[in-house]
Amino acid sequence: MTIRLLLADDQALVRGALAALLSLEPDLEVVAEVGRADDVVEAAVAAGVDVCLLDIEMPGDAAVPDGIAAAAALRGRAPGVRSLVVTTFGRPGYLRRALEAGASGFVVKDTPASELAEAVRRVHAGLRVVDPLLAGESLAGGSNPLTEREVEVLRVALDGVPVARIAERVHLSPGTVRNYLSSAIGKTGTATRVEAARVARDRGWI
């Protein structure tokens, strides 16, 4: 039986390389490719895909802004399609978020081609596949301590914009934004909002 695949990555060269490698396997066929997170579900359904290979950091819309959100959208709108996150960013926080969103697996892009192909087969068979090093780091690191609002505010703070601009973008008062930032700074053990945002990003919390 041939396993039908969709590749979702905003870098065309990466998609092409993955397609070439996976197409060497006799039981795998790449039938769709997209470069945006918000195109994943529609393309997967239209092509009759079995497994979607999703990058994390790719463009999307407000509802489906990245690969993790695409995994969640697949679970809700195309539950028969399984998803495998294949990313450069091997961060424990990303792993935890991806699995919570419904992804069946999580591997990094430097995984050997034969191991990636086997991961696809295992995910298609209903099994969970997780990079063992990341799994250990995720357990050691604990869960994301930030609230949804703190995550939202820190994502904007990454750009280094003033509090007033953050408030405009998240539709909150400047005072409320300061409260969320102060809480996030305490939870990340940092001194400034930009440092807090960077630590949260590096841990995969935002």
Side-chain angles (χ1 to χ4, degrees), residues 48-198:
V49 166
D50 299 308
V51 178
C52 291
L53 280 69
L54 308 174
D55 188 22
I56 292 179
E57 294 193 357
M58 56 181 166
D61 60 15
V64 187
D66 57 24
I68 292 176
L74 282 169
R75 180 175 62 179
R77 296 166 53 191
V81 179
R82 302 191 183 278
S83 57
L84 172 64
V85 172
V86 184
T87 181
T88 303
F89 303 99
R91 298 169 181 160
Y94 277 165
L95 167 60
R96 188 180 295 272
R97 286 174 52 206
L99 297 181
E100 289 173 351
S104 296
F106 191 108
V107 298
V108 292
K109 285 181 179 175
D110 60 1
T111 298
S114 60
E115 292 183 18
L116 178 60
E118 186 58 27
V120 169
R121 297 184 185 103
R122 290 173 62 83
V123 164
H124 180 253
L127 303 174
R128 175 167 285 184
V129 179
V130 176
D131 181 285
L133 178 60
L134 282 177
E137 292 177 354
S138 179
L139 289 172
S143 59
N144 181 357
L146 302 172
T147 67
E148 289 185 14
R149 278 298 199 182
E150 289 165 357
V151 166
E152 182 181 17
V153 168
L154 285 181
R155 281 180 178 149
V156 182
L158 266 173
D159 296 332
V161 299
V163 169
R165 182 68 60 82
I166 297 174
E168 290 177 3
R169 290 174 60 176
V170 300
H171 309 292
L172 294 171
S173 72
T176 300
V177 167
R178 288 190 185 92
N179 288 338
Y180 284 130
L181 288 172
S182 177
S183 176
I185 287 169
K187 290 177 180 179
T188 54
T190 53
T192 70
R193 60 179 180 272
V194 174
E195 287 178 7
R198 288 172 179 167

